[in-house]
């Protein structure tokens, strides 16, 4: 360990120093340590179009001076009168533009209450060449399941701090809004569900048109998790019968599927169809995800227990495989279901597969059991190489739950929900994925005031990246929800049913006979 030493530092005058052109000189004590920062920015990789990464220096008692020096030779120096550091926006954008594909170094000097200064070791921040899609859509909701009367679907411009509300459930009699999704990161092709409230249904956005759909048929209940087919003509949905229960210790909530199947909704004909291979009563199928070329449907499935009166240790052994099945737009599903990640080999349960837009990677979760990964502290992100079939744990994980992830349209950035900060609140983090599938150290969604995260007790769930903001005002969504007009889905006549539950009902195809 180096001996702490006092040394003299000449800091060139900057935009916020409030000193003369000759700069300012301070005497600082070397700490031989990185500064304590919230959010953590030490060694992160960031996009060249991200908003300023404001932060708080946890060890500062008075003022802070920050010096940022880029590989391109430019330097940004400024002073903050408190431990809260806000980076000048215009000079930040210039710094990122000049150092795209390079690294800059951040030196922090913190003033103590007695007027002395600490000099922390400079830390690197890498600026990637590739941008991130400029808009993030997420659901804002409290962390306690009982208090969902305040829920908002929000979009945030990642290049600055502008935020707008897509839909606030307090305008809807506290309806529940969930499972929003987009086709190819395009805000003009969007789907989301509204439960309860004045006009429940599935909202389908096509350009500037919003339609409300009732996806229920004689086969299935309301649709849930969605994945757009690349053609834009179909959406694969899961349908479920969920059961929620609670624990006295640890993560208090748990959710199991009593039954679940997959369906495919044809947007042109408003028809629901399915296939025994994706809606088998012996299996619980969930989390559909089309491949980038639309030739395969990936999903997760687990054997359905014959008896649900199981003690918890038995429920905790329910694990899902990641599987896929071939698909052709003309002939539908064909071939057999292939196992991609086998739970018997991993000893873990798969959930939430998301295929990168370039088709190279599948990002998914593995947890100790079940399929609701936000409730599983053991949930980690894994990356599967579709070229080799091999997968590995991503480098951006923490010791707490990681879940609900999405890709940027260039397949170089992921966003995901993580409880790493306190084990309670889900916040949105970003990680750069290089050409070899390495996930670089993530950074937290920047806020204009970094203290907002401590002042607000909200989850930022289900983050999705889109290439531009959703163009429709909130009033259009509200009008569609309150509108009595609803398109009722029809069931494909090729699907025939046994007289059982409307969810996970046994089926047979034409030519087969009833027992």
């Amino acid at each position: 360990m180096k001996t702490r030493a006092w040394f003299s530092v000449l800091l060139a005058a900057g935009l916020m120093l409030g000193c003369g052109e000759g700069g300012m000189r301070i005497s600082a004590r070397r700490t031989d340590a990185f500064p304590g920062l919230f959010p953590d920015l030490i060694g992160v990789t960031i996009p060249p179009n991200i908003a300023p990464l404001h932060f708080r220096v946890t060890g500062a008692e008075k003022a802070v001076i920050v010096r940022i020096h880029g590989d391109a030779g430019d330097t940004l120096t400024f002073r903050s009168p408190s431990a809260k550091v806000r980076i000048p926006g215009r000079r930040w954008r210039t710094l990122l533009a000049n150092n795209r594909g390079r690294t800059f170094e951040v030196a922090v000097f913190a003033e103590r209450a007695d007027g002395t200064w600490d000099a922390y070791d400079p830390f690197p921040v890498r600026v990637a060449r590739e941008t991130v899609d400029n808009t993030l859509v997420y659901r804002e909701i409290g962390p306690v399941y009982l208090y969902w009367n305040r829920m908002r679907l929000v979009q945030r411009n990642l290049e600055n701090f502008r935020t707008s509300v897509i839909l606030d459930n307090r305008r809807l009699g506290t309806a529940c809004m969930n499972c929003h999704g987009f086709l190819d990161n395009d805000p003009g092709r969007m789907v989301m569900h509204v439960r309860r409230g004045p006009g429940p249904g599935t909202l389908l956005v096509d350009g500037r048109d919003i339609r409300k759909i009732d996806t229920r048929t004689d086969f299935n209940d309301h649709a849930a998790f969605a994945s757009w087919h690349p053609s834009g003509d179909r959406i694969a949905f899961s349908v479920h019968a969920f059961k929620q229960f609670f624990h006295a210790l640890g993560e208090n909530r748990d959710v199991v599927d009593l039954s679940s199947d997959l369906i495919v909704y044809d947007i042109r004909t408003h028809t629901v169809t399915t296939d025994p291979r994706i809606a088998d009563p012996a299996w619980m199928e969930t989390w559909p995800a089309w491949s980038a070329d639309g030739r395969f449907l990936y999903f997760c499935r687990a054997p359905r227990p014959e008896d649900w009166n199981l003690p918890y240790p038995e429920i905790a052994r329910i694990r899902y495989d990641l599987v896929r099945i071939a698909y052709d737009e003309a002939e539908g599903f064909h071939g057999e279901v292939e196992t991609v990640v086998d739970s018997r080999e991993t000893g873990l349960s798969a959930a939430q597969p998301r295929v990168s837009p370039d088709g190279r990677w599948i990002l998914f979760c593995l947890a100790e059991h079940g399929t609701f990964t936000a409730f599983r502290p053991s949930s980690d992100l894994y990356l599967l190489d579709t070229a080799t079939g091999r997968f590995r744990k991503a480098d951006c994980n923490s010791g707490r739950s990681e879940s609900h992830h999405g890709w940027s349209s260039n397949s170089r950035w992921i966003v995901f929900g993580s409880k790493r900060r306190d084990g309670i609140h889900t916040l949105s983090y970003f990680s750069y994925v290089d050409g070899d599938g390495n996930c670089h150290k993530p950074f937290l969604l920047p806020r204009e005031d970094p203290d907002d995260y401590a002042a607000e007790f909200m989850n930022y769930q289900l983050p999705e990246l889109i290439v531009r903001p959703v163009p429709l005002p909130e009033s259009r969504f509200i009008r569609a929800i309150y509108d009595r007009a609803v398109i009722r889905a029809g069931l494909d006549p090729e699907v025939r049913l046994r007289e059982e539950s409307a969810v996970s009902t046994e089926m047979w195809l034409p030519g087969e006979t009833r027992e």
Side-chain angles (χ1 to χ4, degrees), residues 54-74:
H54 301 330
F55 59 90
R56 172 175 283 278
V57 182
T58 57
E61 296 171 336
K62 293 179 69 176
V64 171
I65 294 174
V66 177
R67 180 180 182 271
I68 305 176
H69 179 72
D71 284 351
D74 47 349

Side-chain angles (χ1 to χ4, degrees), residues 171-466:
R171 304 281 299 274
L172 307 172
T174 64
C176 179
M177 309 174 306
N178 54 25
C179 302
H180 53 276
F182 302 88
L183 170 62
D184 296 334
N185 305 80
D186 179 4
R189 305 298 299 275
M190 175 184 177
V191 65
M192 66 172 292
H193 307 306
V194 178
R195 312 293 192 199
R196 303 181 182 178
T202 295
L203 298 185
L204 186 65
V205 177
D206 188 356
R208 300 196 66 84
D209 180 41
I210 305 179
R211 288 168 284 174
K212 185 168 62 175
I213 300 165
D214 185 348
T215 54
R216 294 173 296 177
T217 72
D218 290 340
F219 173 74
N220 60 278
D221 206 333
H222 292 288
F225 310 135
S227 177
W228 287 81
H229 189 270
S231 68
D233 295 332
R234 301 170 181 84
I235 304 176
F237 288 108
S238 59
V239 290
H240 299 266
F242 291 130
K243 180 70 173 180
Q244 186 172 207
F245 58 95
F246 302 88
H247 304 288
L249 299 174
E251 173 62 64
N252 70 311
R253 283 176 290 178
D254 221 330
V255 176
V256 295
D257 274 332
L258 301 181
S259 62
S260 57
D261 294 315
L262 302 184
I263 60 173
V264 177
Y265 179 78
D266 191 311
I267 295 172
R268 301 161 300 176
T269 62
H270 302 296
T271 301
V272 166
T273 191
T274 191
D275 184 281
R277 287 162 286 198
I278 64 170
D280 188 331
W283 294 88
M284 300 181 292
E285 299 96 348
T286 186
W287 294 114
W290 295 103
S291 61
D293 58 11
R295 295 177 54 242
F296 291 93
L297 180 66
Y298 290 87
F299 58 99
C300 300
R301 71 174 190 177
R304 183 185 180 189
E306 295 182 3
D307 180 11
W308 272 113
N309 293 317
L310 298 174
Y312 179 74
E314 293 298 322
I315 291 176
R317 281 194 277 270
I318 296 176
R319 298 187 175 95
Y320 288 71
D321 301 328
L322 175 59
V323 300
R324 74 174 188 177
I325 186 170
Y327 181 79
D328 182 87
E329 289 191 69
E331 63 178 280
F333 296 101
H334 58 90
E336 298 301 320
V337 174
E338 307 172 59
T339 299
V340 179
V341 177
D342 194 328
S343 62
R344 293 172 298 181
E345 296 178 3
T346 65
L348 298 169
S349 184
Q352 300 172 4
R354 297 294 299 270
V355 183
S356 61
D358 64 5
R360 176 68 188 277
W361 310 103
I362 300 177
L363 188 66
F364 65 102
C365 293
L366 286 179
E368 59 187 8
H369 73 270
T371 185
F372 271 72
T373 52
F375 297 162
R376 301 263 56 81
S378 61
S379 177
D380 285 317
L381 297 175
Y382 284 73
L383 206 63
L384 183 145
D385 187 342
T386 60
T388 64
R390 297 174 182 170
F391 64 94
R392 66 178 185 272
K393 183 185 290 190
D395 298 322
C396 57
N397 289 292
S398 68
R400 289 169 170 157
S401 172
E402 330 288 344
S403 65
H404 293 110
H405 40 274
W407 289 92
S408 187
S409 59
N410 59 10
S411 303
R412 281 293 174 263
W413 294 95
I414 59 171
V415 60
F416 59 96
S418 176
K419 292 186 177 181
R420 66 185 61 198
R421 182 186 170 209
D422 57 14
I424 299 173
H425 296 88
T426 299
L427 302 178
S428 296
Y429 288 79
F430 299 82
S431 176
Y432 176 72
V433 181
D434 63 30
D436 295 322
N438 299 307
C439 295
H440 293 221
K441 182 177 177 178
F443 65 93
L444 179 62
L445 172 68
R447 300 288 296 270
E448 190 164 19
D449 185 343
D451 288 345
D452 283 348
Y453 281 116
E456 296 179 354
F457 299 97
M458 302 298 291
N459 284 327
Y460 300 93
Q461 295 180 328
L462 312 177
E464 293 283 347
L465 288 163
I466 52 178

